[in-house]
């Protein structure tokens, strides 16, 4: 399925190219386990229950910045906004910060490592 909806939102007052906190959301087709529609798929007969079944998302992101900032990190978050135990690989190419979507993530958060 080639459908996906992706958004990037600055979590600070700065625009995306300056913000050190950005939230990315990625949505594909999803439904509850056991969810049932009528034959025309115009009416929900059974809402089903957790867990949510989600089509995988494959996406690469490039955030262009004014300069490289090695302090930027990316973490994968679940549907409740909790960090997933997975490392998100990042790479700087000039002023471009690149990374890819992580399986099972509902959100990706770009943030500044203050260490």
């Amino acid at each position: 399925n080639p459908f996906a909806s992706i958004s990037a939102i600055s979590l600070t007052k700065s625009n995306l190219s300056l913000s050190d906190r950005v939230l990315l959301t990625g949505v594909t087709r999803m439904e509850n386990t056991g969810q049932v529609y009528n034959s025309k798929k115009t009416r929900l007969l059974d809402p089903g229950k957790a867990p949510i079944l989600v089509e995988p998302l494959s996406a690469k992101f490039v955030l262009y910045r004014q300069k490289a900032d090695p302090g930027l990190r990316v973490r994968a978050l679940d549907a409740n906004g909790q960090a997933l135990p997975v490392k998100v690989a990042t790479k700087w190419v000039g002023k471009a910060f690149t990374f890819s979507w992580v399986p099972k993530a509902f959100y990706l958060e770009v943030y500044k490592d203050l260490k």
Side-chain angles (χ1 to χ4, degrees):
N1 178 25
F3 170 81
S5 176
I6 297 171
S7 66
I9 302 164
S10 173
L11 298 176
T12 67
K13 292 182 181 182
S14 300
N15 62 36
L16 287 174
S17 65
L18 298 173
S19 182
D20 59 5
R21 289 202 60 223
V22 175
L23 184 67
L24 293 136
T25 61
V27 180
T28 57
R29 289 192 298 188
M30 59 181 69
E31 63 182 41
N32 287 330
T33 300
Q35 191 168 317
V36 179
Y37 289 93
N38 65 359
S39 62
K40 294 181 181 180
K41 294 208 178 250
T42 56
R43 197 175 87 165
L44 182 64
L45 302 176
D46 184 341
K49 58 185 177 183
I52 298 172
L53 305 173
V54 181
E55 283 189 347
L57 174 61
S58 177
K60 180 179 178 181
F61 298 93
V62 180
L63 294 179
Y64 293 97
R65 310 295 286 202
Q66 291 185 348
K67 63 180 181 174
D69 183 351
L72 282 183
R73 303 280 184 263
V74 180
R75 64 179 147 221
L77 306 174
D78 67 13
N80 297 313
Q82 300 301 308
L84 294 170
V86 62
K87 180 176 169 60
V88 179
T90 62
K91 181 179 178 181
W92 282 98
V93 179
K95 297 177 185 178
F97 186 52
T98 63
F99 52 94
S100 294
W101 195 262
V102 175
K104 298 189 180 183
F106 273 71
Y107 312 99
L108 293 180
E109 180 186 14
V110 177
Y111 65 99
K112 180 85 168 198
D113 189 359
L114 300 175
K115 293 179 183 179

